[in-house]
Amino acid sequence: MDETSLGIDLNVSPFYKTDDTPQMNDDLVGGLNQMRLKNKKLREMITVVLDNSNSLQNHVNKLMQEHDLLVSNTNKRKFGECDDRNTTESRKSLHQESLKSTNDGVTKFYRRTDPSDKSMIIKDGYQWRKYGQKVTRDNPCPRAYYKCSFAPSCPVKKKVQRSVDDDGLLVAIYDGEHNHESAESEHKIQASYERLNTPKEVGRFDAIFVEQMANSLRRNPDFIEELAVAISSKILEHDVF
DNA sequence: CGAATTTGACCTGCGC
DNA sequence: GCGCAGGTCAAATTCG
């Protein structure tokens, strides 16, 4: 984990020899020791941040792989092999989902549900208000009309209807794009904010903030150079006086 | 009692 | 212009 090291050699020698008093030398050594300690703490914090980051990245990769697998399976079932929609095998695959976007801002979302379940609810992380229902000509199942009710200004609408061929298949047509986070995301952000603001967690929040700062400084190529300049100027100050 | 849902009426666009 | 079908409105109703 060499990356985590700031790689600063703090055993800096003065550029020229002076007639320093023993008192000044003691101050200098003390200052350097303090900086070594700070450097060590910083390295430890960076190690923790990197470990957290790596485990988070692994978790995200794992979720992405699972999602890709699910989508490719349902696509095979819904789009490539429409004729065997009603096979026993496909009927077994309840609650499987797939997305199909068109370039005019309309997204179709397919969800397989139990045919005996007559509810038209598709949980997609957003909050919807039903504003109408209509039986259409080509489908005996009623079509439900929803507006996004999470943000008053959100223009997104969706239509939900059972497939005419397969009453176990719910089809949701999304019109427009949300101009806000999903209710689910908002809830998670709020929950973590509240958790971090409990008295016990305030210190932890500060620690996380410091870790993030340290991480960003580590990535800054100028940081080490500037730190070295600051250290040497400090040393020179001691030498001058 | 307020929020969500239902449902009939009304509006709009399109084909004839 | 007329009729039809899809989409929206809003009062009534239901639900928690």
Side-chain angles (χ1 to χ4, degrees), chain A residues 205-230:
Chain A
F205 180 79
D206 289 343
I208 290 168
F209 181 70
V210 169
E211 282 172 13
Q212 285 173 349
M213 291 283 284
N215 201 27
S216 69
L217 285 173
R218 187 178 65 82
R219 289 166 192 276
N220 184 351
D222 296 332
F223 171 65
I224 294 169
E225 192 184 343
E226 284 173 15
L227 186 60
V229 169

PDB file of all heavy atoms in Angstrom, chain A residues 205-230:
ATOM      1  N   PHE A 205     -18.513  12.115  11.851  1.00  0.00           N
ATOM      2  CA  PHE A 205     -18.696  12.929  10.649  1.00  0.00           C
ATOM      3  C   PHE A 205     -17.452  13.778  10.395  1.00  0.00           C
ATOM      4  O   PHE A 205     -16.955  13.855   9.284  1.00  0.00           O
ATOM      5  CB  PHE A 205     -19.933  13.825  10.797  1.00  0.00           C
ATOM      6  CG  PHE A 205     -20.168  14.690   9.596  1.00  0.00           C
ATOM      7  CD1 PHE A 205     -20.757  14.161   8.459  1.00  0.00           C
ATOM      8  CD2 PHE A 205     -19.761  16.012   9.584  1.00  0.00           C
ATOM      9  CE1 PHE A 205     -20.974  14.952   7.344  1.00  0.00           C
ATOM     10  CE2 PHE A 205     -19.973  16.803   8.476  1.00  0.00           C
ATOM     11  CZ  PHE A 205     -20.579  16.283   7.358  1.00  0.00           C
ATOM     12  N   ASP A 206     -16.923  14.401  11.490  1.00  0.00           N
ATOM     13  CA  ASP A 206     -15.714  15.207  11.351  1.00  0.00           C
ATOM     14  C   ASP A 206     -14.570  14.348  10.836  1.00  0.00           C
ATOM     15  O   ASP A 206     -13.814  14.768   9.963  1.00  0.00           O
ATOM     16  CB  ASP A 206     -15.334  15.824  12.705  1.00  0.00           C
ATOM     17  CG  ASP A 206     -16.307  16.912  13.094  1.00  0.00           C
ATOM     18  OD1 ASP A 206     -17.033  17.392  12.195  1.00  0.00           O
ATOM     19  OD2 ASP A 206     -16.361  17.279  14.279  1.00  0.00           O
ATOM     20  N   ALA A 207     -14.441  13.136  11.393  1.00  0.00           N
ATOM     21  CA  ALA A 207     -13.347  12.244  10.990  1.00  0.00           C
ATOM     22  C   ALA A 207     -13.463  11.911   9.513  1.00  0.00           C
ATOM     23  O   ALA A 207     -12.472  11.923   8.775  1.00  0.00           O
ATOM     24  CB  ALA A 207     -13.389  10.972  11.828  1.00  0.00           C
ATOM     25  N   ILE A 208     -14.701  11.625   9.061  1.00  0.00           N
ATOM     26  CA  ILE A 208     -14.925  11.298   7.643  1.00  0.00           C
ATOM     27  C   ILE A 208     -14.537  12.487   6.768  1.00  0.00           C
ATOM     28  O   ILE A 208     -13.873  12.354   5.751  1.00  0.00           O
ATOM     29  CB  ILE A 208     -16.406  10.904   7.404  1.00  0.00           C
ATOM     30  CG1 ILE A 208     -16.671   9.559   8.063  1.00  0.00           C
ATOM     31  CG2 ILE A 208     -16.720  10.846   5.923  1.00  0.00           C
ATOM     32  CD1 ILE A 208     -18.140   9.206   8.151  1.00  0.00           C
ATOM     33  N   PHE A 209     -14.942  13.693   7.247  1.00  0.00           N
ATOM     34  CA  PHE A 209     -14.627  14.900   6.493  1.00  0.00           C
ATOM     35  C   PHE A 209     -13.116  15.072   6.358  1.00  0.00           C
ATOM     36  O   PHE A 209     -12.591  15.340   5.273  1.00  0.00           O
ATOM     37  CB  PHE A 209     -15.254  16.117   7.199  1.00  0.00           C
ATOM     38  CG  PHE A 209     -15.010  17.409   6.486  1.00  0.00           C
ATOM     39  CD1 PHE A 209     -15.643  17.659   5.275  1.00  0.00           C
ATOM     40  CD2 PHE A 209     -14.154  18.361   7.004  1.00  0.00           C
ATOM     41  CE1 PHE A 209     -15.421  18.860   4.606  1.00  0.00           C
ATOM     42  CE2 PHE A 209     -13.940  19.547   6.338  1.00  0.00           C
ATOM     43  CZ  PHE A 209     -14.573  19.804   5.146  1.00  0.00           C
ATOM     44  N   VAL A 210     -12.386  14.879   7.500  1.00  0.00           N
ATOM     45  CA  VAL A 210     -10.931  15.010   7.489  1.00  0.00           C
ATOM     46  C   VAL A 210     -10.316  13.981   6.548  1.00  0.00           C
ATOM     47  O   VAL A 210      -9.399  14.279   5.776  1.00  0.00           O
ATOM     48  CB  VAL A 210     -10.364  14.855   8.917  1.00  0.00           C
ATOM     49  CG1 VAL A 210      -8.857  14.725   8.888  1.00  0.00           C
ATOM     50  CG2 VAL A 210     -10.776  16.040   9.769  1.00  0.00           C
ATOM     51  N   GLU A 211     -10.869  12.743   6.579  1.00  0.00           N
ATOM     52  CA  GLU A 211     -10.350  11.689   5.710  1.00  0.00           C
ATOM     53  C   GLU A 211     -10.498  12.064   4.242  1.00  0.00           C
ATOM     54  O   GLU A 211      -9.601  11.863   3.430  1.00  0.00           O
ATOM     55  CB  GLU A 211     -11.087  10.370   5.985  1.00  0.00           C
ATOM     56  CG  GLU A 211     -10.584   9.695   7.254  1.00  0.00           C
ATOM     57  CD  GLU A 211     -11.429   8.498   7.623  1.00  0.00           C
ATOM     58  OE1 GLU A 211     -12.230   8.041   6.778  1.00  0.00           O
ATOM     59  OE2 GLU A 211     -11.299   8.031   8.758  1.00  0.00           O
ATOM     60  N   GLN A 212     -11.687  12.632   3.934  1.00  0.00           N
ATOM     61  CA  GLN A 212     -11.921  13.029   2.545  1.00  0.00           C
ATOM     62  C   GLN A 212     -10.945  14.110   2.113  1.00  0.00           C
ATOM     63  O   GLN A 212     -10.417  14.096   1.006  1.00  0.00           O
ATOM     64  CB  GLN A 212     -13.360  13.514   2.369  1.00  0.00           C
ATOM     65  CG  GLN A 212     -14.339  12.352   2.351  1.00  0.00           C
ATOM     66  CD  GLN A 212     -15.778  12.841   2.355  1.00  0.00           C
ATOM     67  OE1 GLN A 212     -16.044  14.014   2.572  1.00  0.00           O
ATOM     68  NE2 GLN A 212     -16.707  11.928   2.133  1.00  0.00           N
ATOM     69  N   MET A 213     -10.702  15.068   3.033  1.00  0.00           N
ATOM     70  CA  MET A 213      -9.753  16.142   2.733  1.00  0.00           C
ATOM     71  C   MET A 213      -8.373  15.557   2.485  1.00  0.00           C
ATOM     72  O   MET A 213      -7.686  15.935   1.533  1.00  0.00           O
ATOM     73  CB  MET A 213      -9.693  17.118   3.929  1.00  0.00           C
ATOM     74  CG  MET A 213     -10.943  17.916   4.133  1.00  0.00           C
ATOM     75  SD  MET A 213     -11.059  19.264   2.958  1.00  0.00           S
ATOM     76  CE  MET A 213      -9.892  20.395   3.657  1.00  0.00           C
ATOM     77  N   ALA A 214      -7.959  14.627   3.372  1.00  0.00           N
ATOM     78  CA  ALA A 214      -6.631  14.029   3.243  1.00  0.00           C
ATOM     79  C   ALA A 214      -6.503  13.303   1.914  1.00  0.00           C
ATOM     80  O   ALA A 214      -5.491  13.390   1.223  1.00  0.00           O
ATOM     81  CB  ALA A 214      -6.391  13.065   4.402  1.00  0.00           C
ATOM     82  N   ASN A 215      -7.597  12.601   1.551  1.00  0.00           N
ATOM     83  CA  ASN A 215      -7.582  11.839   0.296  1.00  0.00           C
ATOM     84  C   ASN A 215      -7.428  12.767  -0.905  1.00  0.00           C
ATOM     85  O   ASN A 215      -6.648  12.496  -1.820  1.00  0.00           O
ATOM     86  CB  ASN A 215      -8.877  11.035   0.188  1.00  0.00           C
ATOM     87  CG  ASN A 215      -8.720   9.881  -0.773  1.00  0.00           C
ATOM     88  OD1 ASN A 215      -7.615   9.370  -0.965  1.00  0.00           O
ATOM     89  ND2 ASN A 215      -9.807   9.472  -1.371  1.00  0.00           N
ATOM     90  N   SER A 216      -8.170  13.878  -0.869  1.00  0.00           N
ATOM     91  CA  SER A 216      -8.090  14.787  -2.013  1.00  0.00           C
ATOM     92  C   SER A 216      -6.718  15.451  -2.073  1.00  0.00           C
ATOM     93  O   SER A 216      -6.179  15.686  -3.146  1.00  0.00           O
ATOM     94  CB  SER A 216      -9.203  15.831  -1.964  1.00  0.00           C
ATOM     95  OG  SER A 216      -8.984  16.721  -0.915  1.00  0.00           O
ATOM     96  N   LEU A 217      -6.127  15.729  -0.901  1.00  0.00           N
ATOM     97  CA  LEU A 217      -4.796  16.320  -0.883  1.00  0.00           C
ATOM     98  C   LEU A 217      -3.762  15.348  -1.432  1.00  0.00           C
ATOM     99  O   LEU A 217      -2.848  15.726  -2.158  1.00  0.00           O
ATOM    100  CB  LEU A 217      -4.413  16.725   0.548  1.00  0.00           C
ATOM    101  CG  LEU A 217      -5.090  17.984   1.074  1.00  0.00           C
ATOM    102  CD1 LEU A 217      -4.777  18.177   2.546  1.00  0.00           C
ATOM    103  CD2 LEU A 217      -4.625  19.201   0.284  1.00  0.00           C
ATOM    104  N   ARG A 218      -3.957  14.054  -1.097  1.00  0.00           N
ATOM    105  CA  ARG A 218      -3.010  13.039  -1.561  1.00  0.00           C
ATOM    106  C   ARG A 218      -2.996  12.965  -3.080  1.00  0.00           C
ATOM    107  O   ARG A 218      -1.979  12.717  -3.713  1.00  0.00           O
ATOM    108  CB  ARG A 218      -3.402  11.679  -0.987  1.00  0.00           C
ATOM    109  CG  ARG A 218      -2.399  10.588  -1.271  1.00  0.00           C
ATOM    110  CD  ARG A 218      -2.865   9.305  -0.631  1.00  0.00           C
ATOM    111  NE  ARG A 218      -4.101   8.808  -1.224  1.00  0.00           N
ATOM    112  CZ  ARG A 218      -4.161   8.110  -2.337  1.00  0.00           C
ATOM    113  NH1 ARG A 218      -3.060   7.847  -3.002  1.00  0.00           N
ATOM    114  NH2 ARG A 218      -5.318   7.698  -2.809  1.00  0.00           N
ATOM    115  N   ARG A 219      -4.200  13.182  -3.664  1.00  0.00           N
ATOM    116  CA  ARG A 219      -4.301  13.114  -5.123  1.00  0.00           C
ATOM    117  C   ARG A 219      -3.732  14.359  -5.800  1.00  0.00           C
ATOM    118  O   ARG A 219      -3.553  14.384  -7.001  1.00  0.00           O
ATOM    119  CB  ARG A 219      -5.765  12.928  -5.535  1.00  0.00           C
ATOM    120  CG  ARG A 219      -6.275  11.550  -5.200  1.00  0.00           C
ATOM    121  CD  ARG A 219      -7.794  11.519  -5.305  1.00  0.00           C
ATOM    122  NE  ARG A 219      -8.334  10.308  -4.737  1.00  0.00           N
ATOM    123  CZ  ARG A 219      -8.434   9.170  -5.385  1.00  0.00           C
ATOM    124  NH1 ARG A 219      -8.012   9.080  -6.614  1.00  0.00           N
ATOM    125  NH2 ARG A 219      -8.932   8.095  -4.794  1.00  0.00           N
ATOM    126  N   ASN A 220      -3.529  15.427  -5.019  1.00  0.00           N
ATOM    127  CA  ASN A 220      -3.030  16.664  -5.601  1.00  0.00           C
ATOM    128  C   ASN A 220      -1.499  16.584  -5.728  1.00  0.00           C
ATOM    129  O   ASN A 220      -0.783  16.556  -4.741  1.00  0.00           O
ATOM    130  CB  ASN A 220      -3.430  17.826  -4.695  1.00  0.00           C
ATOM    131  CG  ASN A 220      -3.031  19.160  -5.282  1.00  0.00           C
ATOM    132  OD1 ASN A 220      -2.310  19.209  -6.278  1.00  0.00           O
ATOM    133  ND2 ASN A 220      -3.498  20.230  -4.662  1.00  0.00           N
ATOM    134  N   PRO A 221      -0.976  16.569  -6.969  1.00  0.00           N
ATOM    135  CA  PRO A 221       0.466  16.404  -7.157  1.00  0.00           C
ATOM    136  C   PRO A 221       1.275  17.563  -6.585  1.00  0.00           C
ATOM    137  O   PRO A 221       2.455  17.421  -6.288  1.00  0.00           O
ATOM    138  CB  PRO A 221       0.625  16.317  -8.675  1.00  0.00           C
ATOM    139  CG  PRO A 221      -0.615  16.891  -9.241  1.00  0.00           C
ATOM    140  CD  PRO A 221      -1.700  16.698  -8.237  1.00  0.00           C
ATOM    141  N   ASP A 222       0.611  18.730  -6.455  1.00  0.00           N
ATOM    142  CA  ASP A 222       1.338  19.894  -5.948  1.00  0.00           C
ATOM    143  C   ASP A 222       1.451  19.887  -4.428  1.00  0.00           C
ATOM    144  O   ASP A 222       2.252  20.637  -3.856  1.00  0.00           O
ATOM    145  CB  ASP A 222       0.627  21.190  -6.387  1.00  0.00           C
ATOM    146  CG  ASP A 222       0.630  21.338  -7.896  1.00  0.00           C
ATOM    147  OD1 ASP A 222       1.577  20.788  -8.513  1.00  0.00           O
ATOM    148  OD2 ASP A 222      -0.277  21.979  -8.432  1.00  0.00           O
ATOM    149  N   PHE A 223       0.612  19.051  -3.807  1.00  0.00           N
ATOM    150  CA  PHE A 223       0.520  19.118  -2.349  1.00  0.00           C
ATOM    151  C   PHE A 223       1.856  18.806  -1.672  1.00  0.00           C
ATOM    152  O   PHE A 223       2.319  19.531  -0.789  1.00  0.00           O
ATOM    153  CB  PHE A 223      -0.566  18.170  -1.842  1.00  0.00           C
ATOM    154  CG  PHE A 223      -0.569  18.015  -0.341  1.00  0.00           C
ATOM    155  CD1 PHE A 223      -0.878  19.106   0.468  1.00  0.00           C
ATOM    156  CD2 PHE A 223      -0.256  16.803   0.258  1.00  0.00           C
ATOM    157  CE1 PHE A 223      -0.884  18.974   1.853  1.00  0.00           C
ATOM    158  CE2 PHE A 223      -0.267  16.680   1.632  1.00  0.00           C
ATOM    159  CZ  PHE A 223      -0.575  17.765   2.437  1.00  0.00           C
ATOM    160  N   ILE A 224       2.494  17.688  -2.101  1.00  0.00           N
ATOM    161  CA  ILE A 224       3.731  17.248  -1.455  1.00  0.00           C
ATOM    162  C   ILE A 224       4.819  18.310  -1.628  1.00  0.00           C
ATOM    163  O   ILE A 224       5.521  18.643  -0.687  1.00  0.00           O
ATOM    164  CB  ILE A 224       4.175  15.885  -2.028  1.00  0.00           C
ATOM    165  CG1 ILE A 224       3.139  14.843  -1.634  1.00  0.00           C
ATOM    166  CG2 ILE A 224       5.545  15.487  -1.512  1.00  0.00           C
ATOM    167  CD1 ILE A 224       3.313  13.520  -2.347  1.00  0.00           C
ATOM    168  N   GLU A 225       4.831  18.862  -2.866  1.00  0.00           N
ATOM    169  CA  GLU A 225       5.845  19.880  -3.152  1.00  0.00           C
ATOM    170  C   GLU A 225       5.635  21.105  -2.246  1.00  0.00           C
ATOM    171  O   GLU A 225       6.571  21.632  -1.651  1.00  0.00           O
ATOM    172  CB  GLU A 225       5.745  20.282  -4.626  1.00  0.00           C
ATOM    173  CG  GLU A 225       6.927  21.117  -5.093  1.00  0.00           C
ATOM    174  CD  GLU A 225       6.743  21.570  -6.533  1.00  0.00           C
ATOM    175  OE1 GLU A 225       5.892  20.972  -7.219  1.00  0.00           O
ATOM    176  OE2 GLU A 225       7.422  22.510  -6.947  1.00  0.00           O
ATOM    177  N   GLU A 226       4.341  21.533  -2.152  1.00  0.00           N
ATOM    178  CA  GLU A 226       4.037  22.710  -1.338  1.00  0.00           C
ATOM    179  C   GLU A 226       4.338  22.455   0.131  1.00  0.00           C
ATOM    180  O   GLU A 226       4.823  23.322   0.850  1.00  0.00           O
ATOM    181  CB  GLU A 226       2.571  23.105  -1.524  1.00  0.00           C
ATOM    182  CG  GLU A 226       2.345  23.806  -2.850  1.00  0.00           C
ATOM    183  CD  GLU A 226       0.870  24.055  -3.113  1.00  0.00           C
ATOM    184  OE1 GLU A 226       0.072  23.939  -2.159  1.00  0.00           O
ATOM    185  OE2 GLU A 226       0.533  24.351  -4.267  1.00  0.00           O
ATOM    186  N   LEU A 227       4.050  21.215   0.563  1.00  0.00           N
ATOM    187  CA  LEU A 227       4.317  20.856   1.953  1.00  0.00           C
ATOM    188  C   LEU A 227       5.824  20.910   2.219  1.00  0.00           C
ATOM    189  O   LEU A 227       6.272  21.429   3.261  1.00  0.00           O
ATOM    190  CB  LEU A 227       3.777  19.450   2.233  1.00  0.00           C
ATOM    191  CG  LEU A 227       3.852  18.975   3.682  1.00  0.00           C
ATOM    192  CD1 LEU A 227       3.055  19.916   4.601  1.00  0.00           C
ATOM    193  CD2 LEU A 227       3.322  17.564   3.806  1.00  0.00           C
ATOM    194  N   ALA A 228       6.594  20.390   1.273  1.00  0.00           N
ATOM    195  CA  ALA A 228       8.048  20.398   1.418  1.00  0.00           C
ATOM    196  C   ALA A 228       8.578  21.823   1.507  1.00  0.00           C
ATOM    197  O   ALA A 228       9.431  22.143   2.337  1.00  0.00           O
ATOM    198  CB  ALA A 228       8.682  19.656   0.250  1.00  0.00           C
ATOM    199  N   VAL A 229       8.014  22.706   0.651  1.00  0.00           N
ATOM    200  CA  VAL A 229       8.419  24.112   0.663  1.00  0.00           C
ATOM    201  C   VAL A 229       8.098  24.738   2.003  1.00  0.00           C
ATOM    202  O   VAL A 229       8.923  25.460   2.604  1.00  0.00           O
ATOM    203  CB  VAL A 229       7.723  24.886  -0.478  1.00  0.00           C
ATOM    204  CG1 VAL A 229       7.925  26.383  -0.324  1.00  0.00           C
ATOM    205  CG2 VAL A 229       8.242  24.417  -1.824  1.00  0.00           C
ATOM    206  N   ALA A 230       6.875  24.434   2.518  1.00  0.00           N
ATOM    207  CA  ALA A 230       6.452  24.994   3.804  1.00  0.00           C
ATOM    208  C   ALA A 230       7.382  24.533   4.922  1.00  0.00           C
ATOM    209  O   ALA A 230       7.767  25.320   5.784  1.00  0.00           O
ATOM    210  CB  ALA A 230       5.015  24.572   4.099  1.00  0.00           C
TER     211      ALA A 230
END
